[in-house]
Amino acid sequence: MKSRSVLITGSAGHLGRALRAAFEAQGDGVCGVDWHESSDVVTDLSDDGSWHDVTFGKYDVVVCNAKLYGWHAHQHLATRANQCIINIASIYGTLGPDPMMYYGTEVDPTPAWYAAEKGAMIALTKHQATTLAPVRSNAIILGGIFRDHSDEFRERYEAKVPLCRMATEQDAVDLCLFLASDKASYITGACIPCDGGLSAMA
């Protein structure tokens, strides 16, 4: 496969680092954007003005793994016909959290702003798919990723998941690599759950 240029926002976090390593391992050139000094472009993504520091249009693949980008970024995404956008969303963009799952554990309940932002990202994915075509835009709706949670929280969470485990970074990475590949060339506007079946439960 031909080497591509890849932009990853939120590249300094757990998932961002895993995504970067995976794209680089298959020979792609990666630019990481985050607040951390280890990033290629160091900027505060919580500031809407900071998105002006990022040249979206020159990348083949854009993975939005951080804050929902503003209008400036959206306007400058669709500059290549073969470009691919992958938005990292969350089950809490489509589902409400169960307060009892968090009660008495070390994990704080999902805040309202996070749910609103991830829900907006799902809606934006569908908007991009129709307005930016032939650029492809898809979203990964992630379930909870295990990161040394207590046994109590993990067991409560896994009791709600048909596949009986929390997600790993690799689950998200594998789906992201697929959506960025030519094998997904006819997939756009898809918001794909990667949650072990949690969102399929009534």
Side-chain angles (χ1 to χ4, degrees):
M1 183 171 61
K2 181 182 177 182
S3 176
R4 299 161 303 175
S5 56
V6 181
L7 177 74
I8 300 174
T9 67
S11 61
H14 293 279
L15 181 55
R17 294 195 302 270
L19 287 166
R20 176 171 196 145
F23 278 107
E24 288 180 337
Q26 61 182 22
D28 295 324
V30 178
C31 176
V33 181
D34 213 325
W35 61 270
H36 195 270
E37 61 185 12
S38 64
S39 304
D40 300 298
V41 177
V42 179
T43 189
D44 179 8
L45 296 177
S46 65
D47 176 9
D48 286 340
S50 69
W51 292 97
H52 291 261
D53 298 334
V54 183
T55 309
F56 285 89
K58 69 178 184 179
Y59 297 97
D60 300 310
V61 180
V62 176
V63 182
C64 184
N65 179 48
K67 183 179 181 290
L68 188 68
Y69 31 71
W71 179 243
H72 169 82
H74 178 76
Q75 285 181 303
H76 290 81
L77 278 169
T79 57
R80 296 187 180 199
N82 63 343
Q83 195 174 39
C84 167
I85 303 165
I86 302 168
N87 296 316
I88 306 298
S90 164
I91 53 172
Y92 293 124
T94 60
L95 303 172
D98 176 3
M100 293 307 299
M101 185 168 64
Y102 296 91
Y103 182 77
T105 72
E106 81 286 3
V107 183
D108 293 327
T110 303
W113 65 262
Y114 180 86
E117 187 168 281
K118 293 303 184 180
M121 186 170 285
I122 292 167
L124 180 61
T125 297
K126 294 181 180 295
H127 185 276
Q128 289 173 333
T130 60
T131 62
L132 302 184
V135 170
R136 296 188 299 111
S137 179
N138 296 291
I140 297 174
I141 305 178
L142 271 179
I145 294 179
F146 179 71
R147 294 187 181 132
D148 297 321
H149 294 94
S150 66
D151 288 343
E152 181 180 19
F153 178 81
R154 179 182 55 79
E155 289 168 4
R156 288 183 189 179
Y157 188 97
E158 291 177 349
K160 295 178 173 291
V161 180
L163 294 185
C164 301
R165 68 173 177 85
M166 296 185 73
T168 66
E169 258 83 23
Q170 194 61 47
D171 293 320
V173 166
D174 290 343
L175 181 52
C176 192
L177 292 179
F178 167 70
L179 290 173
S181 74
D182 292 340
K183 293 180 180 179
S185 62
Y186 200 59
I187 300 174
T188 191
C191 299
I192 304 173
C194 184
D195 61 7
L198 187 151
S199 60
M201 293 282 281

